[in-house]
Amino acid sequence: MPMSRERSQVQFQRALKSIPGGVNSPARAFGAVGGEPLFIDRADGAYLWDLDGNKLIDFIGSWGPHILGHRHPAVLAAVEDALTRGTSFGAPTELESELAELVIDAVPSIEKVRMVSSGTEATMSAIRVARGFTGRDKIIKFAGCYHGHVDSLLVKAGSGALTLGVPSSPGVPAGCTADTISLEFNNPNKLAETFAVQGDKIAALILEPVVGNMGVVVPQPGFLAACRELCTKHGAVLIFDEVMTGFRLSLGGAQELFKITPDMTTLGKIIGGGMPVGAYGGRADIMAKVSPAGPVYQAGTLSGNPLAMACGIATLGTLRETNPYPTLAARTERLTRGLSDAASAAGIKHTLPHVGSMFTLFFNPDPVLNNTIAGHSDTKLFARYFWGMIEHGVYLPCSQFEANFVSAAHSDGDIDATIAAAKDVLRAI
Ligand code: HOZ
């Protein structure tokens, strides 16, 4: 018998009356897989329970933050403790320095860091600082990379924008994107050509070093090094958007794993452990431009919020103490091998890129190296796979163009159950 979704359906109808599309962020609307979102009642460890009481193994983890799983005891204790002292002061606290020191310690390219409240704020601010530092206007991004819903970065954007087919949004004035150059990921020659022609006008190159927002796309050997070299040669600021990969691929993020040092880094998701936190940081001379140390203005009433800082400190502290990364990578390796074998046994052409605890099963016969190839994926087949997995108690991102996340709370049993579910589902579609 199909699982009951009655309560979720009632709540979705209610939400539609007061919230655009019934959701507060488009990526979670289930629009691309046809159907209505599940409404979540609670979560614990590796599991979610929806309003109808269905228990699901969660491979979203709030789209990345929950690397420790839901309701980790150290994180809950830290937030409860912070709560006894107040929710927001609009004035400095010790917690802000503590989180900043944890970040600087883990990510050596970050000498100074500013806390904000979302990844979007982090990238928006980093671009402004890079422009203020260089005195130049142009920025380069890659098609399919998503850097939040910043006007100048909503050009061929990934994530929900790609999923819903509006990668360049109406409402963004042409003037806002006139200085944005969008190129194909993993194409160092085109990048070099662009720098050769416009190098003295380019303030920054921003990229997800391992892309998560067109599904997982891995940088080809030499590509990140080419990004670094060209920025150095032409005096542009290299910004790694590690909102997704920061503290996810290793404590030092993708830059540690691939041994490339950016000038600036943007962070989000894990740094807040499930609370709204973003951050941007980098070289001290660049960050010296940020107000009030320098003239580039950026501010926020809830920036450095004490509850959010406490949650982030407990999360990063636990990651540092427990070093779950080798286990996460091994579990992800086993899971992706199992999923790939299940797809092959069902005769389904696919590719399954994974790095650390991030992966995407693309229904695509070719290695996905960029946005154009990702776009050739069979999204109809993905939708059938997605709903089949839900019926088997596995909650995956509701788009072909998103990353799946394994957490430290996923047990070997959860991995086995997920592989068994995929075998059933893929055999039947
Ligand atoms: N930007 C997130 C995924 N790449 C989606 C956030 C959400 O919709 O909750």
Side-chain angles (χ1 to χ4, degrees):
M1 210 176 63
M3 69 194 249
S4 162
R5 295 187 208 128
E6 215 177 297
R7 288 182 177 207
S8 282
Q9 284 160 354
V10 169
Q11 286 307 316
F12 188 52
Q13 292 311 311
R14 176 186 174 193
L16 280 170
K17 291 185 187 135
S18 56
I19 302 171
V23 289
N24 279 310
S25 186
R28 52 181 92 150
F30 284 29
V33 289
E36 298 180 356
L38 301 182
F39 274 56
I40 304 306
D41 178 39
R42 65 192 172 90
D44 199 29
Y47 310 112
L48 294 173
W49 284 263
D50 70 9
L51 287 180
D52 292 279
N54 300 303
K55 180 181 175 184
L56 300 147
I57 306 175
D58 178 18
F59 286 100
I60 301 183
S62 191
W63 301 93
H66 289 303
I67 189 166
L68 298 173
H70 296 274
R71 303 184 75 249
H72 187 280
V75 176
L76 290 190
V79 176
E80 279 165 13
D81 179 55
L83 199 49
T84 62
R85 269 170 273 135
T87 56
S88 179
F89 313 123
T93 63
E94 288 172 280
L95 297 172
E96 290 158 84
S97 302
E98 200 177 332
L99 187 56
E101 286 157 10
L102 276 167
V103 170
I104 289 167
D105 202 43
V107 188
S109 72
I110 300 182
E111 295 174 323
K112 287 268 171 70
V113 61
R114 167 61 62 84
M115 298 296 159
V116 290
S117 299
S118 69
T120 292
E121 263 189 272
T123 56
M124 178 183 75
S125 311
I127 292 289
R128 185 180 302 148
V129 173
R131 284 174 162 157
F133 178 74
T134 56
R136 302 171 179 177
D137 289 341
K138 290 201 180 295
I139 51 174
I140 300 179
K141 76 175 286 288
F142 294 113
C145 283
Y146 177 73
H147 307 290
H149 59 95
V150 182
D151 277 353
S152 63
L153 295 170
L154 269 183
V155 178
K156 295 194 181 166
S159 190
L162 176 61
T163 300
L164 301 175
V166 279
S168 306
S169 172
V172 175
C176 286
T177 55
D179 288 315
T180 306
I181 301 165
S182 175
L183 301 176
E184 203 80 273
F185 194 76
N186 271 328
N187 186 340
N189 295 336
K190 190 74 201 166
L191 186 64
E193 275 171 36
T194 307
F195 266 110
V197 178
Q198 309 192 60
D200 60 342
K201 298 186 183 61
I202 292 165
L205 165 61
I206 184 167
L207 70 151
E208 298 179 76
V210 171
V211 189
N213 283 296
M214 49 178 138
V216 171
V217 176
V218 183
Q220 293 305 285
F223 179 64
L224 296 179
C227 293
R228 176 64 277 175
E229 277 163 32
L230 287 164
C231 283
T232 304
K233 182 172 167 196
H234 294 276
V237 176
L238 178 63
I239 306 172
F240 272 11
D241 179 346
E242 297 231 41
V243 167
M244 220 180 245
T245 52
F247 305 102
R248 162 66 61 185
L249 300 187
S250 73
L251 204 60
Q255 55 193 270
E256 179 178 58
L257 201 64
F258 289 88
K259 300 186 172 45
I260 301 289
T261 306
D263 302 305
M264 295 187 79
T265 301
T266 57
L267 296 164
K269 299 192 188 282
I270 289 174
I271 192 181
M275 290 276 191
V277 181
Y280 65 98
R283 277 169 34 195
D285 59 335
I286 298 177
M287 292 303 286
K289 295 285 176 197
V290 178
S291 180
V296 177
Y297 199 72
Q298 182 272 310
T301 300
L302 292 173
S303 295
N305 171 270
L307 298 185
M309 294 297 101
C311 197
I313 291 164
T315 302
L316 300 199
T318 305
L319 288 171
R320 196 160 77 167
E321 272 160 38
T322 58
N323 184 22
Y325 299 102
T327 309
L328 281 170
R331 284 221 173 106
T332 307
E333 179 69 41
R334 196 164 73 77
L335 174 59
T336 52
R337 205 173 331 114
L339 295 177
S340 187
D341 288 349
S344 297
I348 294 172
K349 294 205 168 69
H350 66 282
T351 183
L352 215 169
H354 58 96
V355 184
S357 53
M358 291 169 67
F359 71 92
T360 296
L361 171 55
F362 282 104
F363 293 101
N364 190 322
D366 300 314
V368 176
L369 303 179
N370 58 41
N371 193 47
T372 306
I373 305 173
H376 300 155
S377 304
D378 187 339
T379 51
K380 290 199 173 71
L381 192 58
F382 175 82
R384 299 215 298 277
Y385 167 67
F386 169 83
W387 281 112
M389 293 299 274
I390 290 266
E391 286 294 333
H392 282 70
V394 181
Y395 190 69
L396 304 175
C398 53
S399 164
Q400 172 71 101
F401 308 115
E402 294 284 0
N404 298 248
F405 299 105
V406 176
S407 80
H410 286 106
S411 65
D412 283 332
D414 295 323
I415 302 298
D416 289 338
T418 304
I419 294 170
K423 276 186 189 155
D424 268 6
V425 169
L426 292 169
R427 196 185 305 128
I429 57 179

